[in-house]
Amino acid sequence: MPNRKASAVWEGGLKGGTGTFRAMSGNISGNYSFSSRFEEGAGSNPEELLAAAHAACFSMALSAQLEGNGTPPTRVETNAVCTVEKVDAGSKITTMHLTTRPAVPNIDDAKFQQVANAALEGCP
């Protein structure tokens, strides 16, 4: 598999500084700050990028598992919520909650749950 690259720059102190990030493709870039990461300020943050990556990964993994089961989906929408909390002297991602809404004809719930669990296990 190919390597994927991104870069980030932070300028200034923690609370007053600002940052930018950019993915190798140039399709993903943005600004982030203390306020956008730990408060409700404007801009992006690393955790929403992780949530987007996890949602995208799971949607593709579920689609692949469903297709392999002979029940290809017509659509898989996944939302991810990444929770960051203060832990000891720092911060930590404590949960990543996925909610998926697939459109899959001709599959019963028991089989869907089996396939979805396999997709979850196979998604990095």
Side-chain angles (χ1 to χ4, degrees):
M1 295 199 55
N3 292 320
R4 303 298 186 203
K5 299 177 184 176
S7 63
V9 174
W10 185 262
E11 297 183 51
L14 177 62
K15 288 197 175 184
T18 59
T20 59
F21 63 87
R22 174 175 225 74
M24 172 180 70
S25 66
N27 292 324
I28 301 170
S29 63
N31 301 313
Y32 65 108
S33 65
F34 181 89
S35 178
S36 69
R37 187 165 188 203
F38 299 110
E39 299 168 346
E40 297 297 326
S44 187
N45 57 72
E47 291 75 25
E48 79 176 358
L49 296 171
L50 291 171
H54 200 170
C57 178
F58 183 75
S59 288
M60 289 181 74
L62 182 55
S63 179
Q65 289 287 332
L66 287 163
E67 189 172 50
N69 182 61
T71 53
T74 57
R75 177 183 167 92
V76 177
E77 177 184 343
T78 304
N79 295 304
V81 177
C82 180
T83 302
V84 178
E85 296 178 299
K86 286 194 83 55
V87 176
D88 299 322
S91 300
K92 181 178 181 177
I93 294 172
T94 55
T95 59
M96 182 74 81
H97 181 79
L98 299 178
T99 304
T100 191
R101 291 175 193 82
V104 188
N106 306 318
I107 192 169
D108 64 48
D109 186 59
K111 187 61 174 180
F112 174 78
Q113 296 301 325
Q114 178 186 0
V115 171
N117 284 328
L120 190 57
E121 290 177 19
C123 184

